[in-house]
Amino acid sequence: MIKVDLKGNVKELEAGVTAAEVAKSIGMGLYKSACAARIDGKVCDLRTPLTKDCSLEILTFDDPDGKHAFWHTAAHVMAQAVQHLFPEAKFGIGPALENGWYYDIKVGRSLSTADFEAIEAEMKKLVKADEPIVRRTITVEEGREIFAGQDYKLELMEEYAAKGWELSIYTQGDFTDLCAGPHLMSTGMLKAVKLTKVAAAYWRADASRDSLDRLYGIAFPKASMLEEHLKMLEEAAKRDHRKLGKELGLFAFRDEAPGFPFYLPKGMVLKNTLIDYWREVHKKWDYLEISTPQIMKRTLWETSGHWDHYKENMYTTVIDGEDFAIKPMNCPGSILVYEMEPHSYRDLPLRYGELGLVHRHELSGALHGMFRVRCFTQDDAHILLGQEQIKDEVVRIAQLFDEVYSLFKLPYKIELSTMPDDHIGSKEDWDIATAALADAITSIGKTYDVNPGDGAFYGPKLDFHIQDSLGRTWQCGTIQLDYQLPGRFNLEYTGEDGQKHCPVMIHRVVFGSIERFIGILTEHFAGAFPTWLTPVQVEIIPITERAHEYARQLKAKLDEAGVRSEADYRSEKMNYKIREAQLQKIPYMLVVGDKEVENGTVSVRARKEGKGGTMSADEFVAQILDEIKNKEN
């Protein structure tokens, strides 16, 4: 007999019982909705036998890991459907994503959206058949026989075997895939499936290799959930920051500079207003702003470790016969600033803030509007401090993050990322750093999820995932605790004991990057930014030529008060001008005609209820200034 802890309820069960059998013993409802299991913290198949005392969680579609197993299974079902329709198909990889899955496939021709209906119909047949899914481990020799003719699978299998990994396959009906899992027990749970798009993708992201078709899809246990998701996608398409950025005149991209954004005049107002707010917040929280060079010598990047661990993402050049790199990160520059003068314990924590322009070589297929660019302004900060100050400083940073995200009404979750395989420094240092982050964040009543092995190469980190108005999550803020770089650069300070000590460094950003945060805010607010942030705050609309002079006086008054305004003097009809201003998402319109000129008033049309009506110009200025000062949303 073994003891199985089911969230505090300990049961004695026969050794060898599977997670699925335990779920069935609890209730058929749970068993039918179960997608995977978590055994002693590790996500596994429901078919996994329990052989010793352990903790067990049954994961449904409501759990992110349950969704992962659900969508991973759907990817296999889609591949099986493609195999039925295109027997010559060659299969690459088909991972689950945050929302759905994709599968890289090569057939005799390019697949298109015209193929979706037939593939979906075949998938529905496979779901209706409720094929059981069977897992087994194989040898390399067996794999070579099973995947004969599937060159991509054979390549992956040989790599996995060379690394000493267990080779496992999953079979449903006439389809077998090389896969680590986990998967559902059968295909029947996939009640609603939908293919969403197709794109080209190079095998192993290598432009010199085969081009495959990447088929994306989504699936749910209920048709109603799919309908809700498709409505969300429709709304997201309306909010697409690339579309709105063009319509609102904020930013643009050109073929002459792929991945490098062009800020248009209104976009610069938006960017600078966001930066002004960043400076305001960081001054309040005692940061010192610095600016460091764009290009620095290779030797610096070798010392930092970036040349060995990040070179493929760096742009390099040669100056006077020496190798230089355009900075992909700001941290080494902050270290050089720290080195310029001696420090004592009285100086710490020393908080450097930098709006540093960084460049990273991203694959062209990964570029995505403002979300993934090759050049961006990182709202960085690097904090040098003593080890005993870590907890208080992390708490302080988390409070700053909370202030910023609350202003934009962006709830968030925190994720603790731990030591990756490709790391520098000892495991002991990593354990100390990881525990320090966890202790700090729990001390202020915050919770976190663990993301194993996803830390930066120099230290663990806390990632802040914000949620926008459509419920989508974005990783923005991060707090990275670094015991490595200060030591690599031999940084020191004089301690209270008069001895030399090496400081710890915290790397942190709150927006993530100005560009990405602008993209997120554009979609979050659907382009209708809060008045304090929006590029044009007031549109003045004179409805007669006689009102033009009054409109100019109003604009001068608003300019003097620091309110961003435009006046539309075109000889168009009033309703046309109003509609144009609405499409530009301008929060206030001042409609003025002969009556307003005579009375010295303005007729205010406001985006928000309760802000409009007829009032004096001075009353309106006072109202909007109060809204801007308080940064109302």
Side-chain angles (χ1 to χ4, degrees):
M1 300 294 286
I2 58 171
K3 292 181 179 179
V4 178
D5 185 345
L6 293 155
K7 291 187 176 180
N9 180 19
V10 178
K11 287 190 173 187
E12 286 199 1
L13 301 168
E14 290 284 345
V17 65
T18 66
E21 289 168 337
V22 176
K24 187 181 286 187
S25 72
I26 295 171
M28 285 303 294
L30 178 62
Y31 173 70
K32 289 180 179 179
S33 61
C35 297
R38 191 179 289 119
I39 303 171
D40 286 337
K42 182 181 178 182
V43 181
C44 306
D45 271 327
L46 288 163
R47 51 185 71 75
T48 304
L50 311 180
T51 58
K52 61 179 183 178
D53 293 354
C54 62
S55 64
L56 171 66
E57 294 176 73
I58 305 300
L59 308 179
T60 66
F61 190 79
D62 293 331
D63 185 280
D65 288 323
K67 283 187 176 74
H68 188 278
F70 192 94
W71 286 329
H72 203 172
T73 302
H76 281 214
V77 171
M78 183 187 73
Q80 185 180 9
V82 171
Q83 179 180 266
H84 286 182
L85 297 170
F86 303 92
E88 74 282 10
K90 309 291 185 186
F91 297 98
I93 58 172
L97 304 172
E98 186 178 348
N99 276 299
W101 74 85
Y102 73 75
Y103 212 121
D104 290 342
I105 302 171
K106 187 176 182 67
V107 300
R109 61 171 175 79
S110 294
L111 295 171
S112 71
T113 53
D115 297 302
F116 285 5
E117 185 177 350
I119 296 171
E120 287 173 0
E122 189 64 25
M123 288 179 72
K124 289 172 184 176
K125 290 178 186 177
L126 297 170
V127 170
K128 188 175 181 181
D130 196 17
E131 296 271 14
I133 301 170
V134 180
R135 179 188 188 274
R136 72 180 178 96
T137 57
I138 58 169
T139 64
V140 173
E141 290 72 24
E142 288 176 308
R144 288 170 182 158
E145 183 178 341
I146 293 167
F147 296 109
Q150 289 287 341
D151 295 342
Y152 308 125
K153 293 296 179 185
L154 290 172
E155 179 182 327
L156 293 172
M157 185 189 70
E158 298 290 352
E159 282 186 19
Y160 298 163
K163 293 177 180 178
W165 295 356
E166 180 182 71
L167 300 177
S168 59
I169 59 172
Y170 283 81
T171 299
Q172 64 217 30
D174 58 359
F175 181 78
T176 296
D177 208 346
L178 177 71
C179 188
H183 285 278
L184 303 178
M185 298 292 287
S186 71
T187 62
M189 285 182 69
L190 307 173
K191 301 300 184 187
V193 297
K194 182 75 175 176
L195 301 191
T196 55
K197 68 175 180 176
V198 60
Y202 291 116
W203 173 236
R204 311 301 290 272
D206 185 342
S208 67
R209 309 217 37 198
D210 292 349
S211 177
L212 287 69
D213 292 313
R214 179 166 289 180
L215 287 173
Y216 290 84
I218 193 77
F220 292 93
K222 297 179 182 177
S224 59
M225 296 171 74
L226 175 60
E227 289 174 14
E228 184 179 333
H229 178 77
L230 294 177
K231 286 178 182 176
M232 186 277 288
L233 290 181
E234 185 179 343
E235 179 60 27
K238 295 176 185 175
R239 294 169 177 252
D240 189 313
H241 73 283
R242 294 165 298 181
K243 171 177 171 287
L244 289 172
K246 182 178 180 181
E247 291 174 356
L248 301 178
L250 302 177
F251 45 80
F253 292 88
R254 294 287 302 247
D255 291 340
E256 292 86 347
F260 296 87
F262 288 75
Y263 280 98
L264 306 179
K266 290 179 181 178
M268 279 304 298
V269 174
L270 177 64
K271 179 181 179 180
N272 288 333
T273 305
L274 202 57
I275 286 173
D276 288 344
Y277 170 65
W278 183 92
R279 289 196 165 110
E280 175 189 319
V281 169
H282 285 74
K283 182 179 179 181
K284 171 185 171 182
W285 288 90
D286 301 323
Y287 285 78
L288 303 171
E289 187 174 354
I290 62 173
S291 178
T292 62
Q294 289 288 105
I295 304 176
M296 292 181 275
K297 285 185 178 180
R298 169 179 176 167
T299 51
L300 173 77
W301 303 107
E302 287 176 334
T303 303
S304 71
H306 289 91
W307 197 266
D308 293 329
H309 294 268
Y310 204 73
K311 185 174 181 294
E312 67 276 8
N313 292 102
M314 296 168 67
Y315 293 104
T316 60
T317 188
V318 176
I319 302 175
D320 296 334
E322 288 191 77
D323 289 333
F324 282 71
I326 301 173
K327 67 178 179 182
M329 298 176 184
N330 297 307
C331 35
S334 293
I335 285 173
L336 295 184
V337 171
Y338 181 86
E339 283 184 336
M340 290 180 187
E341 57 181 300
H343 298 282
S344 82
Y345 70 94
R346 293 186 180 89
D347 301 325
L348 308 183
L350 187 54
R351 307 178 183 95
Y352 293 131
E354 180 173 14
L355 292 161
L357 185 65
V358 300
H359 290 73
R360 298 180 185 178
H361 179 241
E362 302 283 357
L363 294 173
S364 58
L367 299 176
H368 181 70
M370 299 290 265
F371 292 157
R372 182 65 67 90
V373 291
R374 287 173 168 158
C375 145
F376 54 92
T377 301
Q378 195 157 46
D379 62 306
D380 242 328
H382 295 96
I383 302 161
L384 284 302
L385 69 167
Q387 191 164 328
E388 72 284 355
Q389 298 173 311
I390 290 173
K391 178 178 176 180
D392 287 345
E393 190 64 23
V394 172
V395 166
R396 203 170 183 276
I397 296 167
Q399 290 169 336
L400 183 156
F401 284 12
D402 192 67
E403 176 181 329
V404 172
Y405 297 148
S406 296
L407 173 66
F408 297 103
K409 290 185 167 52
L410 294 165
Y412 61 86
K413 291 185 178 180
I414 303 171
E415 195 172 72
L416 174 61
S417 297
T418 59
M419 186 176 74
D421 293 333
D422 179 27
H423 69 275
I424 56 178
S426 68
K427 184 177 183 301
E428 181 182 5
D429 279 350
W430 274 82
D431 289 344
I432 292 170
T434 304
L437 287 181
D439 183 45
I441 213 68
T442 54
S443 72
I444 55 173
K446 302 288 186 182
T447 59
Y448 62 87
D449 296 320
V450 177
N451 185 12
D454 200 42
F457 69 84
Y458 47 76
K461 58 179 180 171
L462 291 168
D463 288 329
F464 288 67
H465 296 263
I466 61 174
Q467 185 180 79
D468 69 12
S469 56
L470 292 183
R472 300 170 300 178
T473 56
W474 310 89
Q475 195 270 304
C476 286
T478 187
I479 303 173
Q480 302 174 353
L481 189 54
D482 185 356
Y483 281 71
Q484 308 306 323
L485 281 183
R488 291 171 76 95
F489 282 90
N490 298 313
L491 300 187
E492 59 183 25
Y493 68 95
T494 303
E496 199 168 359
D497 58 2
Q499 302 299 308
K500 297 295 184 183
H501 300 270
C502 183
V504 178
M505 175 181 263
I506 293 177
H507 310 243
R508 47 113 298 199
V509 292
V510 58
F511 295 149
S513 81
I514 300 297
E515 284 68 23
R516 189 162 184 267
F517 202 66
I518 283 174
I520 291 168
L521 291 182
T522 301
E523 298 199 1
H524 176 60
F525 291 115
F529 301 104
T531 300
W532 70 272
L533 185 59
T534 197
V536 179
Q537 295 164 325
V538 179
E539 182 80 1
I540 304 169
I541 301 176
I543 56 176
T544 65
E545 192 168 337
R546 293 184 298 277
H548 283 194
E549 179 57 33
Y550 183 54
R552 292 187 184 94
Q553 294 171 12
L554 288 173
K555 188 173 188 324
K557 182 185 285 286
L558 291 167
D559 289 346
E560 186 179 356
V563 178
R564 298 186 289 272
S565 66
E566 290 181 346
D568 188 344
Y569 300 112
R570 295 176 300 169
S571 57
E572 300 285 355
K573 292 183 178 179
M574 180 186 72
N575 287 341
Y576 179 82
K577 292 181 180 182
I578 289 172
R579 178 60 179 157
E580 289 274 289
Q582 287 173 334
L583 290 173
Q584 286 295 300
K585 317 283 186 177
I586 297 172
Y588 287 100
M589 287 171 272
L590 302 185
V591 181
V592 293
D594 293 343
K595 182 178 178 182
E596 285 75 23
V597 171
E598 183 181 344
N599 297 328
T601 58
V602 289
S603 177
V604 182
R605 294 177 68 102
R607 199 169 60 198
K608 292 171 65 176
E609 287 187 24
K611 296 283 189 176
T614 300
M615 61 188 78
S616 71
D618 288 340
E619 285 175 325
F620 173 74
V621 171
Q623 174 183 296
I624 194 170
L625 287 178
D626 186 63
E627 184 176 338
I628 293 168
K629 179 183 176 182
N630 293 320
K631 292 184 170 63
E632 295 178 18
N633 274 330

